[in-house]
Amino acid sequence: MTAAGDMQDRCRSYGDFVADKARLLVEARCYDEGLALLEAVLCDMPDHVTCRLEHARILSLCGEHDQAVQELEQLYRQPGCALDVGFTLAVTYSGTGRHREALEVLAGLIEKQPEMPFLHRWRGIFLERLGCSSDAECAYRAALQLKHDYAEARVSLANLWIDLGRYREAEASLTDALRQTPAHSAALLNLGRLYRTQGKIDQALQCYQQVLTLQPDNLGAASNYLFALCNHADFSAVQLADRHRALAAFFRPAGVLPPAPSAGQENRVLRVGYLSGDFCNHSVAYFIKGILQHHDRSRFEVYCYATANKEDAMTRHLQGLPVVWRRINGMPTLQAARIIRADKIDLLVDLSGHTAGNRLDLCASRPAPVQATWIGYPHSTGLPYIDYFITDSICDPPGMTDGLYSERLVRLPRIFCCYSPGTQTSEVSPPPHLTRGCITFGCFNSFAKLNRKLYAIWAAVLHKVADSRLHLKSAPFANDCVRQEVYTALEDLGISRERIVLMPHAETHEQHLTQYAAVDIALDTYPYNGTTTTCEALWMGVPVVTLAGDHHRARVGACLLTAVGLQDLVGYSAGEYVDLAVCLAHDTNRLKVVRNNLRTMMVGSALMDTGGVTKELEQAYAAMFAAIAGMSGQAVGSDRKTF
């Protein structure tokens, strides 16, 4: 070997050594140090592929997606580029919403190396993100044909089947994955999701608890456990609060951020950051889009931190509003927290709680001096790092629920949220009993909110209203087993299946709304009330009967109905709930009047006064910030005012 060749080999070896060291720095969350180390080497060896690849990976982790893509594209265009270069480019494309480009790159890799199972699995993942379910299933099956014991592919396939309502196949696939790898956390998490979707809350909780036993730092399992618990009919308000506080220990700071800048003067323009995994066609969007639009830009700068890889027409609508948009999905905790800190956010508002796509881990590192949670979750987060929970005096009456929260309660003066319907919406139809000759009750809430205690209450209503029908609508009703379980549960209570209509998920939101044309009266769920579904029923002229309890998740219905002037449809016991539903069913004149006027009542109410609620929210934000600014050096998170 020549001296020059020997030198090149040594340089390559040194570059590989540096790349390995950079990976260790990334594992230790030292991203800046990793970048600096690689950049020093690349100054002398700009063509070292491994160092450039690792450099691009870290850039992507740090949120510098455009720069990462540019570097990866340059590497990918080089003759004979390595498999991991193309794969990393495809994953980076998809992580920024460029799923079709990701598939094109992956197709080229599969053409060259068709025997690689992981390429087929990732092809399935990208196809799912584009909504191509059938093609995604074929890709997962191709991966399993190449590697029968490929647990990750079985989990991905099961996850797809859950979305499609193919629950038996999903359970079999997850069981196979767990047989191969008993401690497979993703398989257990998805099995928990499968059980929760089917309303089998106890079994879901067992799955999440297994993950936490195996991996005490698995925040996804902790959040899933708590969210599933909110659907449990047998846990009291105090028990729920205790569980949330107990699991708060899992959400520890990922690292130390530099000290937050001084709060400064109270009257300056404040920077508000909204943190959510639901900036898309999701329930939360119908409550945040009006707020984002109506914020007073002379007083507030608005930032949105998107934490999930979801993008659709609603996302593009929100991006078009006067907000600063940051995509932080997949970003390591401390790096994402640093981005929020660099934006000098004064108030960070979490919109997810413990629901899917949340990044409560960011809040633990306290990237903002004031942190609150709002609208996305019906309970305290349990985390000491969240300072405030935004609510109202109906959802959380003073003295009733304060002790259930780790946060301080901020009660908006009229209502805790405001609803903005979609741009495409159906006209209100006449009451269906006029043509059917019988009353139809309905509930379009998530199936996970249904339970046997609720079925007993509904059965009591149906027994007292002759010939009445019950229409239930939820995605799991596409599954035969789920339908049979519901039919059997109601038949055991004396309600024949001829009186029950079970409808699966509608293809579009417009179709979903038109299905209210078949409903005279909506019955709310308990103890976890509906929110978006209640607003949608009211918007379509359908009155809702609700049962109010002693904590937030069981009082949202009372809040919404009070706002639109239907507080007399709020029951405070199961018996009263039944009586209200029966009385309303017999008052056909009122049903007609309400049907004709409910949309107008909504538009004139606090529930849809987006501008007014935004001003009230801004006043609350200013008060929260003023409380911090006037603390004179006290530790952030110490004693607060209650508004």
Side-chain angles (χ1 to χ4, degrees), residues 309-321:
N309 189 17
K310 303 175 187 175
E311 189 165 309
D312 54 24
M314 177 65 79
T315 310
R316 292 185 285 276
H317 170 76
L318 298 177
Q319 289 172 334
L321 298 175

Side-chain angles (χ1 to χ4, degrees), residues 93 271 360 373 478 536 552 588 590 598 643:
Y93 273 150
R271 294 188 174 193
L360 290 172
T373 186
E536 289 170 342
H552 188 102
T588 55
R590 187 184 183 191
L598 192 45
F643 304 105

